[in-house]
Amino acid sequence: MVSVRAYAKLNLSLEVLNKRPDGFHNLRTLFQSISLHDSVGIEAKRSRTTRVTVSSDVEIPGENLIVRAAHAVLEALGFAARVEFTLRKRIPMGGGLGGGSTDAAAVLLSLPGILGRRLSPERLRGIASSLGSDVPFFLVGGTALGLGRGTEIYPLPDAPAAAGLLIVPGVHVSTATAFGQLYRSESELTRASSGPAERIAFAWATGEDWAPFSSNDFEDAVFGSHPELGRLRAELQKYGARPARMSGSGSTLFGLFGSRELREAAARQLPGVRLVAFRFVTRRRYRSAVGGVPAGRP
Ligand code: C5P
């Protein structure tokens, strides 16, 4: 059995721009891989009929994205196989950390190699965006700018290292509902080009403090319906997190600290909430841990 890591992501900044004719919204977001990960065990061999099974330590409601990913890979390869997944879920579901999407991308990156084949990056990108708006980012990981639906990915140099803390409030926020709650006036929809993502990328390049530029357009709406999330974010800030933000459409909050000592001190001030310490994952590390199955392996 091959086992691959599927790392979670954060949105260091997230702007929701205009609604598109296809019903999705144009976004401008900075994605960042973090060390919190699921483990996806994969056993696969060619057979006369296709059968895909998943055994998971956590029950996954609805259709599992890794099953769809596996079927899409087999269809692209043009043959049938038996595929067995063993999923060790660590990334909270419905938390804005891309848990389902990263598991799916791990399948796209590793299943062809396990079956002794290769799919072109172009093909993988097409399959990834058909599975979900966050999936294409997970084909490269590290630090990246996401535009369009979120599927147009521009890999960037790795962001400066940080000691991070997640607060997992256990509140499920539906992405579609969060988008539906956003109200934007026409003038807001056509924004100036110099948004948070550009300022942050510039600050990284010049070695300045980027935290003041971090923002998330979902926060006001989501904190409006879940005030406890806004309070938790304020606490993170109070105990020294720079920035303290919500990831994606929530509900996970994250704080970054100047050192591990500062992070531990903050964690001690936050009893009674689920906390997860993390660090940023570089693209190099991401690629070796996720796409670690060489093409052509029998
Ligand atoms: O692509 P994904 O399945 O992650 O999208 C879930 C839902 O979030 C979509 O059905 C849509 O309502 C909303 N969405 C959006 N604009 C995006 C991404 C998602 O409106 N760029």
Side-chain angles (χ1 to χ4, degrees):
M1 185 175 74
V2 171
S3 182
V4 292
R5 284 185 176 190
Y7 289 106
K9 61 86 178 163
L10 296 177
N11 299 90
L12 300 179
S13 72
L14 174 51
E15 290 169 89
V16 181
L17 307 173
N18 57 308
K19 191 163 180 176
R20 306 153 27 132
D22 64 4
F24 285 87
H25 294 75
N26 280 319
L27 308 177
R28 193 190 285 138
T29 185
L30 282 175
F31 287 111
Q32 175 63 51
S33 296
I34 60 168
S35 48
L36 174 66
H37 61 273
D38 292 341
S39 297
V40 187
I42 309 173
E43 205 146 358
K45 56 175 183 295
R46 289 181 72 154
S47 85
R48 286 225 307 259
T49 53
T50 287
R51 211 182 113 202
V52 180
T53 57
V54 183
S55 77
S56 172
D57 56 352
V58 176
E59 202 181 324
I60 296 166
E63 195 191 13
N64 194 327
L65 216 51
I66 65 174
V67 174
R68 281 181 55 202
H71 282 291
V73 165
L74 293 176
E75 198 184 309
L77 292 174
F79 56 73
R82 288 192 57 155
V83 186
E84 288 172 38
F85 292 111
T86 313
L87 188 58
R88 217 168 57 130
K89 202 89 197 118
R90 294 291 170 268
I91 306 172
M93 282 176 277
L97 299 174
S101 302
T102 187
D103 294 347
V107 173
L108 300 187
L109 289 171
S110 53
L111 184 57
I114 294 169
L115 291 166
R117 294 295 183 91
R118 184 179 179 276
L119 287 174
S120 70
E122 199 53 37
R123 199 76 190 268
L124 288 177
R125 283 221 308 274
I127 299 174
S129 47
S130 76
L131 293 173
S133 302
D134 279 345
V135 183
F137 162 70
F138 291 107
L139 296 178
V140 281
T143 307
L145 175 69
L147 299 180
R149 240 178 83 200
T151 57
E152 200 183 310
I153 297 298
Y154 298 84
L156 295 176
D158 292 314
L165 194 60
L166 298 177
I167 297 186
V168 184
V171 175
H172 189 284
V173 179
S174 143
T175 305
T177 309
F179 273 105
Q181 284 175 335
L182 280 183
Y183 171 76
R184 289 263 177 274
S185 67
E186 277 306 310
S187 60
E188 279 179 298
L189 289 178
T190 45
R191 290 195 181 195
S193 60
S194 182
E198 186 189 16
R199 289 183 178 172
I200 292 172
F202 241 82
W204 286 338
T206 55
E208 279 161 90
D209 180 19
W210 61 272
F213 305 128
S214 169
S215 68
N216 180 336
D217 282 352
F218 283 114
E219 283 185 357
D220 286 350
V222 174
F223 293 174
S225 25
H226 302 281
E228 69 276 23
L229 300 182
R231 282 196 292 274
L232 285 169
R233 190 179 80 88
E235 290 210 21
L236 267 176
Q237 219 158 12
K238 181 170 144 199
Y239 299 125
R242 298 288 181 276
R245 287 260 81 86
M246 185 174 80
S247 185
S249 57
S251 61
T252 306
L253 306 164
F254 67 91
L256 302 180
F257 297 85
S259 70
R260 278 155 64 176
E261 290 70 30
L262 289 171
R263 174 179 70 193
E264 305 325 324
R268 282 193 294 274
Q269 305 286 337
L270 292 160
V273 282
R274 186 176 158 205
L275 301 174
V276 180
F278 68 89
R279 56 185 168 66
F280 287 174
V281 171
T282 62
R283 175 160 311 110
R284 192 191 167 104
R285 187 177 175 88
Y286 184 91
R287 301 272 304 159
S288 67
V290 181
V293 185
R297 187 193 149 118

